[in-house]
Amino acid sequence: MGRFEGRDPPQTVEYEPASVKDLLVEMKDTAELLIDLSYSAVLHGSPTVAHEVIELENKMDVLQMRARMSLMLAARNPNEVEKLAPVLGVVAAADKVSDAAGDIAKIVLEEIGLPDAMRGALSEGVETLVRGTVDGNSGYVDRTLMEIDMESETGVRVIAIRRDDDWILNPGPETRIEEGDITLLRGPEASVSEVYPELTGEAFEPREPVEPAIDDLERAVDSIVLMKNLSELAVDLAYGSVLFDNEELAEEVTNLEVEVDALQSRFEAWTLRAAKEADDPVSLRGLIHLGVATEEISDAALEITEGVVRDLDVHPVVEMAVKESDEIITRTTIREGSDLAGTQVSDGVPATDISTSVLAIRRPDEGWLIGPDIDTTLDVGDVVISKGTRTSAAEFDDLAV
């Protein structure tokens, strides 16, 4: 299938003066939102969410072209070229994530087919994300997110709003909810089931998980969920390696990509074996598509780290873009007497309402712990790589000292 088949004709793009930093921020936020939306579309079998993925993919194409134009004009001498070369890698990586997300969405839009057991497994590996249109009678209409205080009260966050043809990718406290807004909500399923009816006037009806009836299919499903988690972690660590100019993080991204490649090979073998026992082998086509697209996301993470791996200076514009994006990656050292010392990751880190997730831990004597398991307890001296909102990141840092 051609890249633009099934999509609107490519939009004509003319050069407009634009900040490379702002373009990179928007591309990073859009890419991360696309990952969430695409897997959510598959999880819920939702054509409406899948269409939002395609719309955002079209937007990403425009952002990438504008970023390239701005970068070409920014290079005035050989030194600038050297510093800007890794920025092109970051731009290309965001677009590669976008294309992979579009391929995942097509599993739904083109009715390629996916076993119900896949959706059951994804429900455990994907935080609940739903799309809802704001009802005119909702109590949230004409109120700002600060007034509603949804995240603090329920743990549910409005991660994006589409208003007519415009996207608000990073709604802030002063963003006002309006009738007809198409909102994207993310949070615990129990909380989403309370917020969604109030916002949309419709009931929230999650699907019940389905257990695989074929052992090889169960192994394939478990593999693809692990591939998804490792690929997303690789992208997060890749941006972290750029932000901190950290070669160790970049090396971990390489290790994760190798692991995803190995998982994909085993996943394909198990899927083919499962096809022999499946009542409808054609229904497994979607699994193959999902595996290929997920592996491409881990490949994109490698492109982000290229400048760090090759020991090229990180251009300040990239560092600023990573810092100013929607969800930010932070590096925090656990100090003596910190409230975080002795906290188990499985209990929530920290064990409060702060929306922060731990991506990795570096211990002085053990090196990196990637994706700490449920028994990991934070110790004094641990360097914690975490991801969350700006507010949560600041509060997390306060608790670390």
Side-chain angles (χ1 to χ4, degrees):
M1 175 178 290
R3 182 178 180 186
F4 298 105
E5 188 172 336
R7 297 164 55 181
D8 293 334
Q11 176 182 338
T12 300
V13 181
E14 296 181 357
Y15 171 73
E16 297 177 4
S19 162
V20 174
K21 182 199 70 177
D22 291 343
L23 289 169
L24 288 176
V25 168
E26 194 167 2
M27 291 185 74
K28 177 179 180 293
D29 289 346
T30 301
E32 293 180 340
L33 177 58
L34 276 164
I35 294 175
D36 283 338
L37 282 179
S38 60
Y39 284 107
S40 180
V42 169
L43 170 60
H44 299 293
S46 172
T48 55
V49 173
H51 278 296
E52 298 297 344
V53 172
I54 301 303
E55 289 296 321
L56 276 173
E57 189 184 3
N58 291 334
K59 176 182 178 180
M60 180 69 87
D61 291 337
V62 175
L63 289 173
Q64 182 195 208
M65 187 61 67
R66 286 179 174 161
R68 284 178 173 175
M69 291 175 178
S70 296
L71 287 169
M72 290 174 69
L73 287 172
R76 296 182 294 271
N77 55 61
N79 287 335
E80 282 293 319
V81 170
E82 183 177 292
K83 289 184 177 180
L84 288 172
V87 185
L88 284 171
V90 175
V91 170
D95 188 60
K96 181 176 286 187
V97 170
S98 171
D99 290 342
D103 289 340
I104 293 171
K106 288 171 187 173
I107 295 173
V108 177
L109 293 176
E110 298 177 4
E111 300 181 354
I112 294 173
L114 199 68
D116 287 336
M118 184 70 242
R119 296 191 174 94
L122 277 177
S123 67
E124 299 176 4
V126 181
E127 191 175 19
T128 299
L129 188 152
V130 296
R131 171 191 185 274
T133 302
V134 178
D135 183 72
N137 296 319
S138 170
Y140 298 141
V141 170
D142 293 330
R143 297 174 63 192
T144 66
L145 293 179
M146 179 182 291
E147 293 170 341
I148 296 170
D149 202 19
M150 185 186 297
E151 185 174 3
S152 297
E153 294 290 334
T154 68
V156 177
R157 183 168 170 236
V158 180
I159 63 172
I161 297 172
R162 181 159 66 84
R163 186 170 294 160
D164 297 324
D165 293 328
D166 296 324
W167 282 89
I168 304 173
L169 292 181
N170 187 17
E174 301 303 320
T175 301
R176 190 173 297 275
I177 299 295
E178 297 182 5
E179 179 182 356
D181 280 353
I182 295 173
T183 60
L184 300 173
L185 308 175
R186 183 169 62 196
E189 184 176 289
S191 299
V192 170
S193 65
E194 296 177 5
V195 171
Y196 186 84
E198 172 63 26
L199 185 75
T200 68
E202 301 175 355
F204 176 68
E205 300 177 355
R207 290 190 176 192
E208 291 295 325
V210 177
E211 292 296 325
I214 304 171
D215 288 342
D216 286 324
L217 178 56
E218 183 174 3
R219 296 187 185 99
V221 165
D222 289 343
S223 294
I224 195 66
V225 172
L226 181 56
M227 285 172 62
K228 170 200 170 292
N229 292 337
L230 292 180
S231 294
E232 289 183 322
L233 176 58
V235 172
D236 286 329
L237 291 181
Y239 281 117
S241 74
V242 171
L243 177 59
F244 304 126
D245 194 16
N246 189 307
E247 290 185 22
E248 288 181 316
L249 279 180
E251 289 173 4
E252 294 298 343
V253 173
T254 300
N255 293 335
L256 285 168
E257 197 274 338
V258 170
E259 178 66 18
V260 170
D261 283 348
L263 277 169
Q264 185 187 23
S265 179
R266 294 196 293 271
F267 153 76
E268 289 175 349
W270 283 323
T271 301
L272 291 172
R273 288 173 185 163
K276 292 190 302 183
E277 302 179 51
D279 294 333
D280 180 16
V282 177
S283 69
L284 303 183
R285 286 181 58 220
L287 273 181
I288 301 295
H289 281 252
L290 195 59
V292 171
T294 301
E295 196 270 337
E296 287 176 353
I297 292 173
S298 71
D299 287 345
L302 274 183
E303 292 191 25
I304 296 172
T305 65
E306 187 173 13
V308 178
V309 171
R310 296 183 183 279
D311 200 25
L312 298 174
D313 290 336
V314 177
H315 197 284
V317 73
V318 179
E319 183 176 343
M320 288 187 292
V322 175
K323 284 183 177 179
E324 293 187 17
S325 61
D326 181 11
E327 288 187 312
I328 62 172
I329 300 167
T330 57
R331 180 175 58 180
T332 305
T333 302
I334 308 300
R335 307 293 184 188
E336 187 75 41
S338 164
D339 290 340
L340 295 179
T343 300
Q344 280 196 322
V345 174
S346 58
D347 294 334
V349 183
T352 67
D353 293 331
I354 297 175
S355 177
T356 299
S357 58
V358 170
L359 303 177
I361 297 171
R362 180 168 60 79
R363 292 219 158 119
D365 300 327
E366 299 179 41
W368 287 100
L369 304 176
I370 304 297
D373 59 36
I374 60 173
D375 295 324
T376 299
T377 300
L378 295 180
D379 296 327
V380 173
D382 282 352
V383 176
V384 181
I385 305 297
S386 59
K387 182 179 181 180
T389 63
R390 296 186 180 286
T391 300
S392 68
E395 294 180 17
F396 187 86
D397 280 341
D398 289 342
L399 287 170
V401 296

